[in-house]
Amino acid sequence: MAKPIVGLHHVTAIASNPQRNLDFYTEVLGLRFVKRTINFDDPGSYHFYFGDDAGSPGTILTFFPWPGASRGSLGVGETAATAFSVPLTSLAFWEKQLSENGIPVERLGKRFNEEVLSFADPDGMRLEIVGHPDAGPAKPSRFASIPAEHAIRGFFGVTLSEKRLESTAQVLNTMGFHKLAEEGNRVRFSAEGAELGNHIDIVVPETAAYGRMGAGSVHHIAFRVPDDASQLEWREELSAQSLQVTPVQDRTYFHSIYFREPGGVLFEIATDPPGFALDEPVESMGEALKLPPWLEKSRGVIEQRLPVITLHKEKVEAL
């Protein structure tokens, strides 16, 4: 039996404007631009990684920023919201920070005894900031203007929109996420052993229409395992349950396997190592375009095809 999974490794979404995406997540939310690389399956486009200062698993939000991508529409079989973790005392700061940067924000009140802010990024991706007393220590970006005490710690979790609960719940149970609580049509599953990304909520909406993937959509969510051996155990375990699991994919900074859970959401299981400092120092992560070794010979062509972007590193006082 494979060891239980303790939480999320990363969440990957789609954006439409690389510079706007970069500016929002670094300058408004104060995340570190951990890595600029390319989509290994589409080398003519970027793959951006944002997270805490060290690029820790459980903090990484990644994007395929495809210029001109049409807006997606949310439906069942998708990730409906991605939630960040902050101390409860930081909610007022974030309400002000978002509002003064022109981002409409709504305080949803208490959900499972935690306070929640809801807002959207420039592509309409639904985001939440959850304030709770167990947010854990901060590893803020060294370039962010957000005060360290209010910095986003990493993921709180995600909300999945599903047509049915039972089959997805069974997969989550197998992976070490067990039902913790229920409110209305929302059921929370939680895993033990990690401070970050260990909550998966499932919502079964009254109208169960399927959405359309596009800008503002979450492409997949990735769960973390400590090493390659554990990942292979999970591949065997999940395949035995008739889930169609891919072979291991080398993503340079982690190794991955993928499968669709019964409700349609694309799940990934990613290894913690090698990590994002594999090919550049932590001090300068995100400053240069990094390519996997097998694409270095095509660097000139790839760089010509990619849009020019500017990373603003200077600290600016938070509003």
Side-chain angles (χ1 to χ4, degrees):
M1 180 68 180
K3 296 178 182 177
I5 289 166
V6 297
L8 294 171
H9 183 281
H10 66 268
V11 173
T12 294
I14 300 169
S16 63
N17 182 305
Q19 186 66 56
R20 185 176 66 180
N21 179 258
L22 175 61
D23 291 346
F24 178 79
Y25 284 96
T26 57
E27 298 181 19
V28 178
L29 294 191
L31 301 181
R32 176 86 186 268
F33 191 33
V34 172
K35 191 69 62 178
R36 72 171 83 186
T37 182
I38 46 89
N39 183 338
F40 291 0
D41 301 317
D42 178 19
S45 62
Y46 282 118
H47 193 174
F48 289 167
Y49 291 78
F50 303 97
D52 70 3
D53 195 65
S56 307
T59 75
I60 302 296
L61 180 58
T62 97
F63 284 91
F64 303 138
W66 288 319
S70 60
R71 182 72 64 93
S73 60
L74 181 62
V76 295
E78 293 185 347
T79 300
T82 301
F84 296 112
S85 174
V86 301
L88 180 59
T89 52
S90 296
L91 276 193
F93 168 86
W94 279 106
E95 201 167 18
K96 182 173 183 286
Q97 168 74 358
L98 292 165
S99 296
E100 294 190 357
N101 276 280
I103 310 299
V105 56
E106 180 182 4
R107 189 181 281 255
L108 299 182
K110 285 200 172 184
R111 178 196 295 162
F112 300 120
N113 295 318
E114 289 122 7
E115 293 284 347
V116 182
L117 297 179
S118 176
F119 59 103
D121 80 355
D123 284 297
M125 178 181 170
R126 298 309 308 177
L127 300 171
E128 295 174 343
I129 290 178
V130 178
H132 61 114
D134 302 318
K139 297 178 183 175
S141 168
R142 64 194 64 201
F143 305 117
S145 59
I146 306 299
E149 66 269 24
H150 298 308
I152 288 171
R153 272 41 175 177
F155 293 124
F156 181 81
V158 295
T159 298
L160 308 182
S161 178
E162 300 283 7
K163 195 169 186 176
R164 298 178 184 85
L165 172 68
E166 292 76 14
S167 55
T168 300
Q170 183 176 349
V171 172
L172 289 175
N173 289 163
T174 299
M175 295 170 64
F177 288 79
H178 299 289
K179 182 177 176 180
L180 181 69
E182 185 171 354
E183 284 185 359
N185 68 342
R186 179 181 294 268
V187 182
R188 171 158 295 171
F189 296 81
S190 298
E192 297 180 357
E195 290 181 332
L196 297 173
N198 61 337
H199 301 296
I200 308 294
D201 288 1
I202 296 179
V203 170
V204 180
E206 292 183 6
T207 55
Y210 288 93
R212 181 178 58 83
M213 190 69 65
S217 301
V218 172
H219 187 271
H220 63 269
I221 61 173
F223 299 86
R224 59 185 294 199
V225 290
D227 51 40
D228 292 330
S230 181
Q231 184 182 69
L232 291 175
E233 290 176 354
W234 274 110
R235 186 173 188 275
E236 183 177 344
E237 177 84 20
L238 294 165
S239 296
Q241 297 190 23
S242 300
L243 293 166
Q244 301 301 308
V245 188
T246 68
V248 176
Q249 308 290 312
D250 184 357
R251 301 309 191 191
T252 301
Y253 311 107
F254 46 88
H255 302 143
S256 301
I257 56 175
Y258 302 86
F259 65 98
R260 286 199 184 274
E261 54 84 22
V265 180
L266 183 59
F267 280 8
E268 174 183 352
I269 296 180
T271 58
D272 284 358
F276 294 99
L278 175 69
D279 56 1
E280 60 184 335
V282 172
E283 292 76 15
S284 59
M285 285 196 307
E287 295 181 19
L289 178 68
K290 294 298 177 180
L291 300 177
W294 61 89
L295 287 176
E296 273 295 344
K297 63 182 183 296
S298 303
R299 175 176 284 273
V301 174
I302 290 172
E303 288 181 337
Q304 287 182 353
R305 293 175 61 185
L306 294 172
V308 176
I309 57 170
T310 302
L311 173 62
H312 303 289
K313 290 171 54 182
E314 64 277 6
K315 280 179 177 277
V316 179
E317 288 302 316
L319 294 174

